Amino acid sequence: MKVATEAQDKPVIESIVSIAAIALMNLWAYPILVLWTLFGILIFPLLFVLGRAVFRWPADRLTRWCIWSYGRGWFLLMSPFVRFKREQMTLLDKEKPYLFVVNHLSFFDTFCMALLPIHNIVFAVRSWPFRMLWYRSFMRLANYLDVEGDCWEDILAGSKKAFAANGSVLFFPEGHRSRDGKLQRFYSGGFKVAIAAGIPIVPLCISGTDLLLPPGKKLMRPCQIVLRALEPIPTGDFSGKDGHLRLRKLVKNQMANSLAEMRGEEKC
């Protein structure tokens, strides 16, 4: 009888602990995110001046380093509730430019790109982040690309400029967040850029950010976030009118299989 009672009490206790953890996390995470963002904005001018003097980097690269460092700080602040893990990053050569493509699950996916060992990355994103007062000036200074507001020629030119300066470019090929965690239709823009510029494409797979902040929810939840890099794919063999389609299909299949493995699901 005692054993049965203890077994019945266990789910109740676990539920109470879970609710308490969620409450504590949100009492911490939202205020600290606001404070960290304000601190980053206030300290940026000092970091910018010092960085220009020490590293001699151009303004856009230095801004991208500051944004990457902001993401690294966010990891530290979230670490009491979120476990961050990165996999297969040794596949990446820090001295080479790449075009990254990554699946999209959450607003926090962009923060998690600081898990990459490379800071000099131009993000190609939709227009709405450029309308956020506290981010847009930094995005413009970092020469981020607006895939909705900019024309194709400007996106290609901006990407080639980043590659020429030994930087990389990152696209979210789905265009917007997945509501069910599954890969959605891929757009071709990033694949066309990689082929036109002759740059290797690196698929990235992220999991867990949809658990951190589930779609339609306002409360964050403790979780584990994993970012995995896949083998760089040379784009020289994808010429012709259907080259971007073949590359897009290959990358999507690789990402689907890798995500299934990361989630313990059956591969496609």
Side-chain angles (χ1 to χ4, degrees):
M1 181 66 71
K2 184 178 179 180
V3 174
T5 302
E6 290 177 350
Q8 292 173 353
D9 290 343
K10 187 176 180 180
V12 176
I13 294 172
E14 290 178 347
S15 178
I16 293 173
V17 171
S18 177
I19 292 172
I22 292 172
L24 184 61
M25 179 181 184
N26 285 274
L27 287 172
W28 165 261
Y30 279 115
I32 204 65
L33 176 60
V34 173
L35 291 174
W36 180 237
T37 300
L38 290 174
F39 176 75
I41 292 172
L42 292 174
I43 202 175
F44 174 77
L46 176 61
L47 290 177
F48 189 84
V49 171
L50 290 176
R52 291 280 282 176
V54 174
F55 298 118
R56 305 288 183 178
W57 288 343
D60 56 348
R61 178 176 179 179
L62 184 56
T63 303
R64 294 194 284 270
W65 176 82
C66 289
I67 293 171
W68 180 84
S69 299
Y70 168 84
R72 287 276 170 142
W74 179 77
F75 297 156
L76 180 63
L77 296 171
M78 295 294 289
S79 61
F81 305 97
V82 181
R83 290 178 296 165
F84 295 97
K85 182 180 180 183
R86 54 184 187 173
E87 298 178 344
Q88 302 182 175
M89 295 298 160
T90 55
L91 294 173
L92 305 179
D93 185 339
K94 297 179 184 179
E95 303 304 318
K96 290 184 178 180
Y98 298 107
L99 190 141
F100 294 102
V101 290
V102 60
N103 60 303
H104 199 7
L105 299 171
S106 167
F107 166 78
F108 289 108
D109 291 341
T110 52
F111 288 67
C112 293
M113 294 306 102
L115 284 168
L116 290 168
I118 301 170
H119 75 268
N120 191 17
I121 300 176
V122 173
F123 282 63
V125 295
R126 297 176 68 190
S127 294
W128 67 266
F130 288 93
R131 295 193 288 266
M132 300 174 73
L133 180 62
W134 50 93
Y135 286 145
R136 69 185 180 199
S137 296
F138 300 99
M139 296 177 70
R140 292 297 185 189
L141 193 55
N143 282 333
Y144 282 5
L145 304 173
D146 182 349
V147 297
E148 287 183 312
D150 297 339
C151 66
W152 161 249
E153 289 76 13
D154 288 342
I155 292 172
L156 181 58
S159 298
K160 286 184 174 181
K161 180 180 178 182
F163 299 141
N166 211 36
S168 296
V169 179
L170 183 145
F171 279 79
F172 293 95
E174 296 167 282
H176 51 85
R177 289 170 279 181
S178 172
R179 304 295 293 184
D180 59 7
K182 297 179 181 179
L183 288 179
Q184 305 171 92
R185 173 181 179 268
F186 276 18
Y187 291 90
S188 295
F191 304 97
K192 289 181 177 179
V193 167
I195 293 170
I199 294 294
I201 195 164
V202 176
L204 299 173
C205 297
I206 191 167
S207 67
T209 51
D210 53 334
L211 302 177
L212 173 63
L213 188 63
K217 303 294 183 181
K218 296 181 180 180
L219 295 179
M220 298 185 205
R221 296 172 180 269
C223 65
Q224 175 176 274
I225 293 174
V226 181
L227 181 67
R228 174 185 291 183
L230 305 186
E231 190 81 35
I233 302 171
T235 55
D237 294 334
F238 293 92
S239 59
K241 291 183 178 180
D242 67 337
H244 66 282
L245 299 177
R246 291 185 284 114
L247 180 59
R248 188 179 73 185
K249 182 178 180 180
L250 173 64
V251 169
K252 188 173 183 179
N253 287 339
Q254 287 189 2
M255 290 176 67
N257 287 331
S258 184
L259 286 166
E261 180 183 295
M262 292 164 71
R263 295 166 180 163
E265 301 170 353
E266 186 176 345
K267 293 184 180 182
C268 299

